Amino acid sequence: MAEAVAWSLLLGLLGAVIGSFVATLVIRWPQGRSVLRGRSHCDGCARVLGPRDLVPLLSAALSRGRCRRCGAAIGPLHWRIEALALMIGLVAGLVVPGPAGLAGAVFGWLLLALAALDVTEFWLPDALTLALALAGLVSGAIGVDPPLADRLIGGAAGFAALWAIAFGYRLVRGRAGLGGGDPKLFGAIGLWLGWRMLPVVLFLAALTGLALVLVGMVRGRSARLDDRAPFGTLLAVAAYPAWLFLLGSML
């Protein structure tokens, strides 16, 4: 138990730091700005932020989400992503302490970046999806469950399944029903979870999407069949709990 707590705290702290980078990536990349170069600044007064303004979560809490100089509200996306990254690390270390937990945390952090970009920009960058896929292959190659053979089948099956659905939908309806990045993301998820968990992920993603629609309807929002939805985000939200269950059941 002590080992699990130690890993959980370590990965949680690492997650908060990585979450800050992920948030910067999500904000800057769609704008064509460099993620690695350029100082962060207040959007209200353009003041360059110092080290005390950039401590993950703590700075936002102490400043109550406002610039210390001009008082302008700071967008909540940054601290929300940091908090989610912290939680991903905490849970991964607690459920699967050790190197496998670190691998799972990486899986979660990459999914978080993809989910955030999809929900804010309807964009699943190929470079980020490829990083997720390669990380899945590496974790399988070093012996993290599931076996590499199951992952390879999962990668091919995940991509083929959603590609076939998208092709069939376009054939019948005459328009796109899935974004081009969704099959690639599902294939990358298969390279992490193996083929056996793919139906579970797809079911959970669909169930989550349905729940969100029902909540929206209860709040008075109308729903149409052609409403655009970030399906990649739903896949990412479903994939991480599936990984936790998979690895937790193997220990």
Side-chain angles (χ1 to χ4, degrees):
M1 184 61 184
E3 181 186 5
V5 170
W7 272 99
S8 180
L9 292 175
L10 176 63
L11 292 180
L13 290 173
L14 181 59
V17 175
I18 289 178
S20 182
F21 174 78
V22 169
T24 301
L25 179 146
V26 170
I27 293 169
R28 292 187 182 182
W29 198 359
Q31 299 173 357
R33 298 163 56 196
S34 173
V35 178
L36 300 177
R37 291 180 295 177
R39 300 283 298 277
S40 298
H41 61 272
C42 171
D43 292 330
C45 63
R47 180 181 69 88
V48 174
L49 303 181
R52 64 179 292 188
D53 301 304
L54 298 174
V55 180
L57 292 174
L58 185 60
S59 292
L62 293 177
S63 66
R64 298 182 181 180
R66 294 187 175 275
C67 174
R68 290 189 296 108
R69 186 168 81 173
C70 70
I74 299 172
L77 181 63
H78 216 106
W79 70 260
R80 287 175 180 173
I81 290 178
E82 290 173 352
L84 287 170
L86 181 145
M87 290 301 300
I88 287 169
L90 285 175
V91 174
L94 196 61
V95 174
V96 193
L102 174 59
V106 170
F107 179 47
W109 295 328
L110 287 169
L111 286 174
L112 175 60
L114 285 159
L117 283 167
D118 197 31
V119 79
T120 58
E121 304 290 337
F122 287 100
W123 182 39
L124 294 170
D126 286 345
L128 205 52
T129 304
L130 178 60
L132 180 69
L134 292 176
L137 289 174
V138 170
S139 65
I142 62 176
V144 177
D145 286 324
L148 185 58
D150 286 4
R151 292 173 184 253
L152 291 172
I153 297 172
F159 175 82
L162 281 198
W163 183 90
I165 292 172
F167 179 79
Y169 187 92
R170 182 184 288 274
L171 200 64
V172 173
R173 299 294 300 274
R175 57 185 176 84
L178 286 175
D182 294 327
K184 299 173 188 176
L185 175 58
F186 200 39
I189 289 171
L191 290 173
W192 275 92
L193 301 180
W195 61 273
R196 292 178 177 85
M197 292 298 292
L198 290 181
V200 176
V201 173
L202 201 56
F203 174 75
L204 289 176
L207 196 63
T208 302
L210 179 60
L212 291 175
V213 170
L214 292 175
V215 169
M217 293 176 66
V218 168
R219 293 181 174 179
R221 180 184 176 186
S222 61
R224 299 172 51 188
L225 289 176
D226 58 353
D227 283 347
R228 194 178 184 189
F231 191 61
T233 298
L234 299 178
L235 289 173
V237 168
Y240 190 63
W243 176 86
L244 291 172
F245 174 80
L246 176 66
L247 268 291
S249 65
M250 289 180 175
L251 294 179

